[in-house]
């Protein structure tokens, strides 16, 4: 039997490695505001995460209330990706950059405890953003 932590890691890596599909935000950005290409790529990446709905919701609820919006999470993740990359992150490298940031989170102690699981803060934020954007989620897991 596969350990749940291994299964979750495989799902995250598979989701991050997958292609990106167009996805509109949930509506907390005014429609007249032009979409940032990095933000579009991030939202599309989250749309590809095949994470269980319960995990995405737990991750969202584990964050402080001020961080629980699509805008806040997207801005934070993009900023973190830029820090990890040392500057602008081309859309094609976003998934790899976020994987590296997630790995670095463990070494730097940027962790979140979600229902007894120890996740990197980057993973937690990605799953939370997936919950907000209506990513391809399943009820099993």
């Amino acid at each position: 039997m596969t350990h749940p932590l291994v299964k979750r890691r495989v799902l995250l890596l598979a989701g991050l490695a997958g292609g990106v599909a167009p996805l509109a935000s949930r509506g907390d950005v005014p429609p007249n505001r032009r979409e940032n290409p990095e933000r579009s790529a991030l939202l599309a990446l989250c749309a590809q995460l095949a994470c269980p709905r319960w995990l995405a919701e737990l991750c969202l609820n584990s964050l402080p209330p001020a961080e629980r919006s699509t805008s806040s999470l997207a801005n934070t993740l993009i900023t973190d990706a830029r820090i990890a990359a040392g500057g602008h992150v081309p859309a094609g490298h976003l998934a790899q950059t976020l994987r590296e940031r997630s790995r670095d989170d463990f070494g730097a102690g940027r962790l979140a405890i979600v229902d007894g699981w120890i996740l990197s803060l980057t993973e937690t934020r990605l799953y939370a953003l997936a919950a907000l954007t209506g990513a391809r989620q399943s009820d099993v897991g």
Side-chain angles (χ1 to χ4, degrees):
M1 181 172 182
T2 305
H3 188 276
L5 186 59
V6 173
K7 184 177 177 185
R8 182 192 53 77
R9 291 244 183 260
V10 170
L11 283 174
L12 177 65
L13 292 175
L16 288 175
V20 291
L23 177 73
S25 69
R26 200 169 131 156
D28 59 342
V29 175
N32 60 349
R33 188 171 165 192
R34 283 179 51 186
E35 190 69 30
N36 173 321
E38 289 171 313
R39 180 185 166 95
S40 295
L42 177 63
L43 293 175
L45 184 65
C46 284
Q48 295 300 308
L49 289 176
C51 61
R53 182 176 318 281
W54 61 267
L55 178 58
E57 293 294 330
L58 285 171
C59 286
L60 179 62
N61 292 325
S62 74
L63 296 172
E67 293 183 32
R68 292 183 196 164
S69 72
T70 303
S71 292
S72 176
L73 286 165
N75 291 339
T76 300
L77 285 163
I78 289 168
T79 299
D80 287 350
R82 287 177 182 162
I83 290 168
H88 173 74
V89 181
H93 296 283
L94 184 61
Q96 178 63 33
T97 302
L98 289 170
R99 272 194 300 274
E100 291 167 6
R101 178 67 179 198
S102 180
R103 234 177 285 126
D104 292 345
D105 283 353
F106 283 99
R110 293 184 301 265
L111 306 172
I113 307 294
V114 179
D115 197 35
W117 292 27
I118 300 172
L119 304 176
S120 78
L121 192 52
T122 300
E123 288 174 299
T124 304
R125 288 174 173 154
L126 281 168
Y127 283 143
L129 186 56
L132 290 173
T133 60
R136 232 182 20 173
Q137 299 169 8
S138 67
D139 290 321
V140 296

